[in-house]
């Protein structure tokens, strides 16, 4: 069983196209999408349509929640609140009510078992769409935030746009990074791969090249409200 975990597409359908092409080449059996599908990219509608066309398990991320109800005070720095809501409004104007209803009804956690391996997946933490758990979090913090919620061998999450794999107390934690907006300085789409064979477990973080200049031009063509900053992130793979 090969399972691909993708997340944080953020309206970058060009990057998602590249990732899905890579997934098809690897003969993946199952795809899981861990949220943040539309918001902050030039192609929110096409990104969502691509996700909905997959036979995939999809859960909600914080950016999906923002599309549904707006960005609230205290969720982002005060100086960014007005601009981020302008971006949200632009995104909503490029979606249908059916799209927004789809995002609203998404579950917030995914749990499944294959070949005696329990996997739990969530966007940020099991109890929050917004909480940040960085790669350098202490063992104690990881155990408190992740292990208390579900008894699994593999814990998958997204949100921080910085992929890593870590082993703790006989369990594996993977952050799968971001398809559309990586923040680790490598301007390539990121996703996670888990392969289970006869109880054996193989994991990797995959990085996929895509046309960043095409995406940069799309931001300009659609007159996105925060074009310059977003193009900088796309080109450099960091905020």
């Amino acid at each position: 069983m090969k399972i691909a975990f993708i997340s944080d597409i953020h309206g970058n359908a060009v990057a998602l196209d590249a990732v899905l092409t890579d997934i098809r080449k690897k003969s993946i059996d199952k795809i899981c999408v861990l949220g943040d599908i539309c918001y902050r990219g030039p192609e929110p509608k096409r990104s969502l349509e691509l996700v909905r066309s997959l036979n995939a398990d999809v859960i909600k991320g914080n950016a999906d929640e923002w599309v549904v109800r707006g960005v609230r005070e205290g969720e982002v720095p005060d100086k960014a609140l007005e601009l981020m809501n302008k971006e949200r409004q632009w995104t909503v104007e490029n979606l249908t009510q059916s799209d927004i209803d789809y995002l609203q009804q998404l579950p917030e956690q995914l749990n499944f078992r294959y070949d005696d391996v329990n996997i739990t997946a969530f966007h940020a933490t099991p109890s929050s769409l917004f909480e940040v758990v960085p790669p350098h979090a202490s063992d104690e913090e990881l155990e408190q935030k992740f292990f208390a919620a579900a008894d699994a061998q593999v814990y998958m999450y997204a949100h921080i746009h910085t992929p890593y794999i870590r082993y703790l107390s006989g369990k594996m934690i993977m952050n799968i990074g971001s398809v559309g907006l990586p923040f680790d300085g490598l301007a390539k789409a990121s996703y996670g791969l888990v392969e289970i064979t006869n109880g054996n477990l193989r994991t990797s973080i995959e990085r996929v090249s895509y046309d960043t200049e095409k995406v940069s031009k799309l931001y300009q063509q659609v007159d996105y409200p925060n074009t310059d900053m977003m193009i900088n992130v796309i080109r450099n793979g960091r905020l």
Side-chain angles (χ1 to χ4, degrees), residues 2 10 16 35 38 40 69 86 94 105 142 149 153 159 184 187 227 232:
K2 289 183 180 179
H10 289 287
L16 182 56
C38 304
R40 304 212 93 176
R69 49 81 161 166
K86 284 183 180 178
N94 283 273
Q105 59 81 38
L142 290 173
Q153 286 78 52
H159 190 50
D184 61 348
T227 291
N232 184 64

Side-chain angles (χ1 to χ4, degrees), residues 40 161 180-183 185-188 210 212 216 219 227-239:
R40 304 212 93 176
H161 297 218
L181 290 174
F183 288 171
L186 182 59
K188 297 180 185 294
Y210 70 95
T212 57
S216 298
Y219 274 108
T227 291
D228 290 344
M229 191 193 91
M230 300 313 299
I231 288 176
N232 184 64
V233 175
I234 290 293
R235 287 175 172 166
N236 298 298
R238 65 174 73 252
L239 282 172

Side-chain angles (χ1 to χ4, degrees), residues 193-213:
L193 188 58
V194 174
E195 186 172 355
I196 304 168
T197 308
N198 298 324
N200 297 327
L201 191 62
R202 185 170 161 190
T203 60
S204 62
I205 293 167
E206 309 292 313
R207 303 306 292 261
V208 181
S209 296
Y210 70 95
D211 191 341
T212 57
E213 286 309 303

Side-chain angles (χ1 to χ4, degrees), residues 1 3 20 49 102:
M1 170 70 90
I3 311 164
L20 293 178
E49 288 175 345
Y102 171 82

Side-chain angles (χ1 to χ4, degrees), residues 8-175:
D8 294 86
I9 299 152
H10 289 287
N12 186 346
V14 174
L16 182 56
D17 282 333
V19 165
L20 293 178
T21 297
D22 193 67
I23 285 173
R24 283 190 287 271
K25 290 177 182 177
K26 291 182 168 69
S27 301
I28 300 298
D29 299 298
K30 182 180 180 69
I31 300 175
C32 301
V33 183
L34 306 190
D36 284 10
I37 300 167
C38 304
Y39 175 65
R40 304 212 93 176
E43 294 188 280
K45 178 72 172 177
R46 191 163 82 84
S47 298
L48 184 56
E49 288 175 345
L50 282 170
V51 168
R52 296 185 72 173
S53 73
L54 302 172
N55 182 22
D57 293 328
V58 185
I59 61 175
K60 185 186 289 187
N62 64 294
D64 306 310
E65 182 73 2
W66 280 341
V67 171
V68 171
R69 49 81 161 166
V71 185
R72 294 175 180 168
E73 194 172 340
E75 293 175 342
V76 298
D78 290 344
K79 62 182 180 181
L81 183 61
E82 182 179 356
L83 177 57
M84 290 185 70
N85 269 313
K86 284 183 180 178
E87 293 180 67
R88 181 260 175 183
Q89 184 59 39
W90 182 91
T91 303
V92 168
E93 289 171 358
N94 283 273
L95 298 173
T96 65
Q97 187 59 50
S98 174
D99 295 330
I100 296 167
D101 291 343
Y102 171 82
L103 296 175
Q104 184 173 23
Q105 59 81 38
L106 288 173
E108 296 185 8
Q109 192 167 326
L110 177 62
N111 298 284
F112 60 93
R113 178 184 179 90
Y114 184 81
D115 205 8
D116 293 327
V117 177
N118 289 325
I119 299 175
T120 187
F122 39 85
H123 183 72
T125 73
S127 60
S128 171
L129 297 176
F130 297 90
E131 194 167 3
V132 174
V133 180
H136 58 267
S138 67
D139 291 354
E140 292 75 19
E141 182 178 359
L142 290 173
E143 289 180 352
Q144 177 188 5
K145 302 293 186 187
F146 294 165
F147 295 174
D151 184 17
Q153 286 78 52
V154 179
Y155 294 81
M156 311 291 295
Y157 79 113
H159 190 50
I160 60 173
H161 297 218
T162 305
Y164 72 92
I165 300 174
R166 187 163 157 185
Y167 298 90
L168 177 62
S169 301
K171 301 175 186 293
M172 191 209 77
I173 300 165
M174 180 191 286
N175 187 283

